[in-house]
Amino acid sequence: MERFVVLIHVLAAVLLIGPLVLAGFWGRRAIRRGDADEARQAFVAGRWATAGSVVVALFGAFAVAATPRYTFGTPWVIISSTLYVVLLGVSAAYTVPALRKAARLLQRRSAVAALDEPDDAERERLSALADRLGGAAVLSLVIVCVIVVFMVYRPFGS
């Protein structure tokens, strides 16, 4: 049973955490291209992956509970769980709302572009948003990489 739960945990992580991390990069690319549809797709993917990442956490908790080797007090489990909460916070509190904002700004920009050239303030706002999304995406990627290292090497106690 333990192997099955770990298998589901790893599959869910690959299928859900990957898009969660990539959503910020997709959104940044959409802003640079001026593509409102792509920004909206990044928003939807980020929103679903953020919500779905709770499944990853649940199966991770089940995996820890199913094995006698590790407990919720094992240091690498605590550190990984804390980093997951930080990742979830970055995604839910910043990346997903920023993607929604980018999609709206780009949609409005494309509607106005037929009538008038976008102003410099709007261009600056989108550029700053793209830079912040890129930063959030890199932070998310680093957090996930550290979590993976902890999951594979299980340092600080076995």
Side-chain angles (χ1 to χ4, degrees):
M1 182 64 167
E2 175 188 346
R3 284 184 186 251
F4 177 73
V5 173
V6 171
L7 173 69
I8 298 299
H9 172 64
V10 170
L11 285 173
V14 169
L15 296 173
L16 295 169
I17 301 298
L20 182 146
V21 171
L22 291 176
F25 290 111
W26 291 332
R28 183 175 188 270
R29 182 181 67 183
I31 293 170
R32 297 287 185 223
R33 291 181 175 177
D35 189 338
D37 290 334
E38 187 177 356
R40 193 175 320 96
Q41 290 169 355
F43 161 67
V44 170
R47 181 178 59 189
W48 282 105
T50 299
S53 72
V54 174
V55 171
V56 177
L58 289 174
F59 277 104
F62 291 149
V64 170
T67 180
R69 293 179 301 210
Y70 309 110
T71 68
F72 292 104
T74 305
W76 69 266
V77 174
I78 294 170
I79 295 168
S80 296
S81 300
T82 303
L83 288 172
Y84 165 74
V85 170
V86 171
L87 174 67
L88 192 60
V90 168
S91 184
Y94 182 74
T95 304
V96 171
L99 289 168
R100 182 183 324 127
K101 181 178 181 179
R104 287 179 181 163
L105 285 171
L106 288 169
Q107 185 68 36
R108 188 173 71 218
R109 181 179 178 183
S110 64
V112 171
L115 304 173
D116 197 19
E117 186 67 26
D119 63 353
D120 288 337
E122 185 175 282
R123 242 180 264 152
E124 289 292 321
R125 193 169 37 237
L126 281 167
S127 178
L129 186 58
D131 291 342
R132 289 191 307 269
L133 271 170
V138 168
L139 177 61
S140 296
L141 179 62
V142 168
I143 290 170
V144 169
C145 288
V146 172
I147 290 171
V148 168
V149 168
F150 277 103
M151 296 289 168
V152 171
Y153 288 104
R154 298 178 183 120
F156 312 120
S158 50

